[in-house]
Amino acid sequence: MPRGVHRLRVVVALSPLVLTSACGGDPGAPGPVDEEACPADAEPTRTVSCVLDFTPGDGAGFGMDAYPDIVYGPPHGGASSSGSLDVLSLGKGGEIALGFGGNTIVNGPGPDFIVFENPFIIGGDPEKVFKELGEVSVSADGETWTTFSCQADAYPYEGCAGWRPVLGTPDSGDGIYNPEVAGGDVFDLEALGIDEVRFVRIKDISNFGAADTAGFDLDAVAIVHPSR
Ligand SMILES: [Ca+2]
Ligand SMILES: [Ca+2]
């Protein structure tokens, strides 16, 4: 999303953190995550609580000062006409694989999980949305992935993440798990013929934007139908 005036304000506010981070290494590099980051016996959560892998694309960097926590917990939406800044920019073609502690997503009635990016509607027309689309895959073991078909060519962008405004906030309580009120992009395992998965992977397919906010901007992911 374009940052405009708000973006400038945030850059100023975060600059001390960025400088501190730069002293310890490249602030654009992936954080210290590994394959043991999401053990099956970890406490189950309904929002992201571990990162299996993050491969930033060109122009990533925004949100890295708070990574990985910035993609954990509830979304920070609340309005259809503006996007959250509590996000991690994946960069062009970047991708991230996420887990929910020891929890799994099961195929219940309707949508099973929700991906929250930071799209926003322009001029009140829902079909005119500023978006940076992502392709979503799921996995039971973190190795074999199945990808949702994403209709990226024209509105409605069914099967893609990153085009429905986010309404849920940290004050929404269990509302962030309710597709009727949470906003965001919903995914139904039924479409893939899969009963249960542990991991969600999001890959930027927008290839859009300039550093350091290029590509899909991930706010949060919430499980509608958890196993625990
Ligand atoms: Ca379902
Ligand atoms: Ca972006």
Side-chain angles (χ1 to χ4, degrees):
M1 60 172 285
R3 303 292 176 183
V5 173
H6 295 291
R7 173 84 181 96
L8 292 173
R9 177 164 55 79
V10 169
V11 167
V12 170
L14 292 181
S15 56
L17 294 175
V18 172
L19 291 173
T20 300
S21 176
C23 294
D26 179 358
V33 295
D34 57 48
E35 294 178 359
E36 303 302 315
C38 299
D41 60 356
E43 179 183 353
T45 59
R46 288 183 71 178
T47 55
V48 175
S49 60
C50 53
V51 176
L52 199 61
D53 185 53
F54 176 37
T55 306
D58 284 349
F62 188 83
M64 282 303 296
D65 56 299
Y67 173 83
D69 303 75
I70 197 162
V71 297
Y72 293 177
H76 291 66
S80 295
S81 58
S82 65
S84 169
L85 296 180
D86 189 84
V87 294
L88 176 70
S89 295
L90 301 188
K92 296 179 180 178
E95 59 181 88
I96 190 167
L98 311 156
F100 307 85
N103 217 345
T104 59
I105 306 170
V106 296
N107 182 17
D112 303 307
F113 66 96
I114 309 172
V115 176
F116 302 100
E117 206 247 359
N118 63 356
F120 58 91
I121 291 171
I122 302 165
D125 180 352
E127 296 193 20
K128 292 181 179 174
V129 58
F130 185 89
K131 68 199 184 302
E132 287 166 306
L133 298 178
E135 179 185 76
V136 176
S137 306
V138 291
S139 175
D141 60 8
E143 295 180 4
T144 303
W145 297 86
T146 306
T147 302
F148 285 88
S149 176
C150 164
Q151 321 256 338
D153 293 342
Y155 181 93
Y157 309 98
E158 296 292 347
C160 312
W163 62 283
R164 285 194 173 101
V166 176
L167 304 179
T169 76
D171 296 325
S172 299
D174 286 346
I176 66 168
Y177 310 117
N178 180 352
E180 300 295 323
V181 298
D185 306 294
V186 297
F187 293 85
D188 188 344
L189 295 179
E190 185 72 26
L192 303 178
I194 293 176
D195 294 330
E196 185 174 10
V197 297
R198 281 194 60 207
F199 304 107
V200 173
R201 188 176 69 192
I202 302 165
K203 177 181 176 63
D204 172 69
I205 58 170
S206 73
N207 281 306
F208 179 83
D212 58 353
T213 61
F216 189 97
D217 304 299
L218 177 63
D219 186 343
V221 182
I223 303 179
V224 178
H225 294 130
S227 61
R228 290 191 276 169

